[in-house]
Amino acid sequence: MKKIAKFTFLPVFLVLFLFPFPAVAQKVPVAKKLPSEKIINIDLYSAYEKSKIYPLSAVAESVEYLPLETNNECLLANIVDVTVTSKDIIVGVYEGLCYHFNRQGKFLNVIGSIGKGPKEFTKLITCVVDTANRWVYAVDWYKLVKFDFEGNFLEKYNFEKTLGMQNVMLQPGQILMGNTSYQNAKPGERFSLNFFSEKNKKHISKVACEKQGKIPFCVCNPSMYNYEGETYLSDFWSDTIYRVKNPNLLEAYAVLDKGKFEYRNSEDKSILGGKNTGEENVIEISRMAENSRFIFIVTSKGTFFYDKSKKETYCSEYFKLENMWANFKNDITSVPFRILLNAPNSIQNGTLISHNDAYQFFEEGIDTNNPKIKKLLHRLQPDDNPVLVLVKLKE
């Protein structure tokens, strides 16, 4: 009689434990881009042909100045981000720290510390602020470090690829993040933006770069901003501004009519101190922002602003004032004005936020008879911290 072989059947969960299936890396989905029937057309080139130096009053109703307390614990330089709420001010300093002030400008505490420890960051690129939960995300080149407004460490998230100069809060727990390494990837494998989820502790979707050819050596960061609770983005090499419906779905919002303008096709020699020639028609877009009436587009050719009520685009020429390039001529208070180049959310609750160095209020040409300037000078010294500029924009 033949012996029948006996098999021992192990429970499924035990089989999976002893002989697990090979891990399959989950691909990060690419956000889908949808067209829209209602789309804003922003004619950059026609506005550029009629460009001039516009007064600040063309877009603004008033200007307020808010000095920030100066002491040895909060010496500010190279400001990259400013977030202003009804009670708090958070200031991010490039390669420095984040600083917490109250709404009157009194210094409260430092947020974060520099180092290689588990609760530290090495170089602050920028910071993302969750105003609802009072959290601050310090963006390092390869990680996010999360703190509360009082400076207490909460969490850390590591990344394999370098993060970008611009990052904004999509909603609590989700951050739209730039990516500075995309330009080194092959066509079809370039993703200039990522959506990060705290719940998933990873990127949950990504945005494809639309440039197919070789990307020359240059600074080509995508633009992004928040407006009325929604997030908007534009790839550096794209003519379209998209509204984020969710991390997997983008809807066309506005198109940039470049006319004779073109994107860069040769390396930017100015980054290394050289000179560029034959680039009269090259346009580079660095920042965008929006309020109920205007869409601002900061470029290498000037500061464009689209008036949504008139459906017209205007271009304000840059002009040199002492040691800074101004976007608009300040006919309201006479103090030189510029839009912050690094802060993605330069417009918050209808207010355009910037800053001036304290010494600028003491230079020749400043209208010291202006009541706001006169009041400010009573409490300001030339070597004090920068003064926040709060511009109430026209609605």
Side-chain angles (χ1 to χ4, degrees), residues 161-197:
K161 295 182 179 180
T162 54
L163 306 180
M165 289 294 296
Q166 292 200 53
N167 306 271
V168 298
M169 182 67 60
L170 180 65
Q171 61 181 22
Q174 291 185 349
I175 300 174
L176 174 60
M177 311 181 73
N179 173 17
T180 58
S181 59
Y182 82 94
Q183 59 203 85
N184 300 317
K186 298 178 181 178
E189 299 177 8
R190 297 171 179 157
F191 302 97
S192 54
L193 295 146
N194 296 286
F195 290 93
F196 170 75
S197 166

Side-chain angles (χ1 to χ4, degrees), residues 73-92:
E73 294 184 82
C74 59
L75 299 177
L76 307 179
N78 299 321
I79 294 175
V80 291
D81 276 295
V82 179
T83 299
V84 179
T85 73
S86 60
K87 296 182 179 180
D88 302 279
I89 298 171
I90 303 295
V91 178

Side-chain angles (χ1 to χ4, degrees), residues 29 55 64-65 117 206 231 277 288:
E64 299 293 333
Y65 294 102
K206 54 190 177 182
T231 301
T277 58
M288 298 181 183

Side-chain angles (χ1 to χ4, degrees), residues 27-34 188-195 203-210 246-250:
K27 292 185 177 180
V28 178
V30 180
K32 186 177 181 180
K33 297 175 179 177
L34 299 178
E189 299 177 8
R190 297 171 179 157
F191 302 97
S192 54
L193 295 146
N194 296 286
F195 290 93
H203 291 144
I204 55 174
S205 68
K206 54 190 177 182
V207 180
C209 171
E210 298 179 16
N246 62 60
N248 295 302
L249 203 59
L250 311 177

Side-chain angles (χ1 to χ4, degrees), residues 347-392:
I347 296 178
Q348 300 167 26
N349 299 317
T351 299
L352 177 58
I353 300 172
S354 186
H355 66 79
N356 280 107
D357 291 321
Y359 73 83
Q360 292 180 297
F361 293 88
F362 296 86
E363 293 184 329
E364 292 185 11
I366 302 301
D367 181 10
T368 55
N369 291 320
N370 182 296
K372 293 179 181 179
I373 303 301
K374 183 181 292 187
K375 181 180 178 180
L376 181 64
L377 291 177
H378 283 305
R379 55 185 296 197
L380 194 67
Q381 296 298 321
D383 57 351
D384 279 351
N385 271 332
V387 176
L388 293 190
V389 182
L390 308 177
V391 180
K392 178 63 177 175

